[in-house]
Amino acid sequence: MKTFQGRVVAPGTVTAEALVSHGGLNTLASFQKALQFGDKNATCGDQNNPDLYGKQMAGKALCLPQTIGSTTGGLVLYCACAMGRQPACMLFSQPIDSLAGAGVILADIWLKDAKMPVIDSLGEEFLQYAQTGMTIEIKENGTVVVG
């Protein structure tokens, strides 16, 4: 078990199973099936992300370096939250990019029942240590426990 300290982008506490990506998350490609075709499990549709492709993202502790892709990224994350198809939390090894940050913050402010805690700046060691299937616990102050 190992503890990491990051910066709180969207507050909250949660315990969930880790889903780890070592490459950037293309939000539109990843969530397109969930948003357009009703996939409640939010099965990742990004064929360019071998860590996530075909895996369920909804309800998971999504561990990643950053998001990539078009300017729709923030809106895609907001919509996933609004539709209840969001990860349990998002944990960034790097500082969150502005597009993802905008979507996450708007979801946190505007949506009552679709919270998704987000912590960034956890460092490269976090992404090297965390493995898909491990249990992740997030605390209110940005502490992330991986075990």
Side-chain angles (χ1 to χ4, degrees), residues 1-5 14-16 91 122 126 129 134-139 142-147:
M1 190 173 303
K2 196 158 184 158
T3 301
F4 300 88
Q5 185 64 46
V14 69
T15 300
L91 304 170
L122 288 162
F126 163 74
Y129 184 80
M134 289 179 143
T135 300
I136 304 271
E137 179 185 358
I138 297 178
K139 300 185 181 192
T143 299
V144 176
V145 180
V146 182

Side-chain angles (χ1 to χ4, degrees), residues 32-111:
Q32 187 170 11
K33 289 179 186 177
L35 302 183
Q36 285 188 305
F37 305 112
D39 176 11
K40 293 181 181 179
N41 293 320
T43 305
C44 181
D46 182 3
Q47 296 177 2
N48 294 317
N49 189 323
D51 294 328
L52 299 180
Y53 181 66
K55 295 182 180 164
Q56 174 182 330
M57 296 181 295
K60 303 291 183 182
L62 190 54
C63 307
L64 65 156
Q66 61 188 4
T67 63
I68 58 173
S70 72
T71 56
T72 62
L75 181 61
V76 168
L77 289 175
Y78 170 82
C79 289
C81 290
M83 296 173 79
R85 296 179 179 144
Q86 75 275 22
C89 60
M90 291 182 78
L91 304 170
F92 291 84
S93 62
Q94 300 176 10
I96 193 170
D97 60 278
S98 60
L99 296 173
V104 164
I105 291 167
L106 289 176
D108 184 57
I109 293 170
W110 289 349
L111 302 173

